[in-house]
Amino acid sequence: ITPQIQAMVDETGISEGTVNVISQHTTTALTINEYESRLLEDVRDFMLRVAPPDYPYKHNDLHLRPASDEDYARIERNWMSQGRGTLEEFMAQEPINAHSHLCVMLFGASETI
C-alpha cells in the first residue's frame, strides 16, 4: 500500500477490511506487484514492447479528429458546452497518448487491497 493510501486507512480507525483504489482517468493504470528495481525495469520494457509510444496509432492523428459526428458531439458535451473553449483549443491541449490508453487496458484502472 502506498503511504498515501495507508494514511487514509489509518485516519478511518478501521483495522480490517478492504480498500478499493480506482483511477477515474482513462490513461492512469493501477496494478499490484513487487516493488523491485529490476522488475520495474522489466515491466517498463514489456509495456514499451506491447504498446510503444512511437507507434503510429490512429488515436494520435489529432489532425483527423473528430472523426465522426459522435466524436464531435462528445467534445461539444464535455468541453465546449462547459465553456472550456473551442474545438481548436480542445485539440491543441490533446496529448499524444494512445499508448497510455492501451496500457490501462492491460493493467486495469482499479485494485482491491
Side-chain angles (χ1 to χ4, degrees), residues 27-100:
T27 59
T28 304
L30 298 168
T31 191
I32 295 175
N33 214 309
E34 294 179 32
Y35 192 79
E36 189 273 321
S37 298
R38 294 185 60 80
L39 177 61
L40 294 175
E41 289 177 27
D42 288 336
V43 171
R44 185 196 69 232
D45 293 346
F46 172 76
M47 295 309 292
L48 287 171
R49 284 192 308 276
V50 173
D54 58 352
Y55 184 83
Y57 301 106
K58 292 174 179 65
H59 177 74
N60 291 343
D61 291 335
L62 299 180
H63 65 285
L64 299 176
R65 292 170 51 194
S68 70
D69 290 341
E70 289 177 345
D71 291 346
Y72 182 86
R74 278 189 289 275
I75 295 168
E76 169 66 33
R77 182 176 60 250
N78 296 318
W79 180 267
M80 295 183 289
S81 68
Q82 295 183 17
R84 294 181 176 177
T86 64
L87 175 62
E88 292 75 22
E89 291 168 320
F90 172 79
M91 297 312 296
Q93 62 83 46
E94 270 291 277
I96 303 296
N97 65 354
H99 67 287
S100 297

